[in-house]
Amino acid sequence: APYCYPMALVLLLLPLVPGISDAAGGASRWISIAGFRWQPGEFVKLSVILFMAGFLSRHEHRLTLFVQGVVIPGALVGFLSGLFLLQPDFGSAAVISLVTLAMGFAT
């Protein structure tokens, strides 16, 4: 789980690279490598869920503090959401934000 966040960052930065990205409908959220097109945002959604589950379980005793229970997870997911919005992909940004919020309320 700790490696999921850096992997998600790399996957979200790849569509912003001009030689790798493949624009469709005005959005550059696809990656084209060796004739295959795939959307890394789908893997990022799963990675964020795994990372946040690990983060929330490791820091369970400190989640009652505002900074460590709200600000840090919010900043981590907010940064990824910002990368989604650069592609632009508002739906995926909203999904990971809402899932993280639900996970925070569940703990």
Side-chain angles (χ1 to χ4, degrees):
Y3 303 111
C4 289
Y5 190 82
M7 183 182 69
L9 281 175
V10 170
L11 286 175
L12 281 179
L13 289 173
L14 283 177
L16 302 176
V17 176
I20 298 174
S21 67
D22 191 14
S28 61
R29 49 182 97 122
W30 295 89
I31 294 176
S32 180
I33 298 176
F36 293 104
R37 289 182 64 204
W38 56 283
Q39 191 173 8
E42 301 304 320
F43 297 107
V44 170
K45 291 176 194 174
L46 178 62
S47 296
V48 169
I49 291 170
L50 293 174
F51 174 77
M52 288 310 297
F55 178 87
L56 294 172
S57 68
R58 281 191 310 274
H59 301 287
E60 185 176 9
H61 59 283
R62 294 185 286 180
L63 291 180
T64 56
L65 302 172
F66 180 74
V67 171
Q68 295 180 349
V70 176
V71 174
I72 292 174
L76 292 171
V77 173
F79 187 71
L80 289 178
S81 295
L83 289 176
F84 268 119
L85 293 175
L86 285 177
Q87 294 180 1
D89 190 1
F90 179 76
S92 294
V95 165
I96 65 167
S97 298
L98 291 174
V99 166
T100 301
L101 187 64
M103 290 173 74
F105 279 126
T107 56

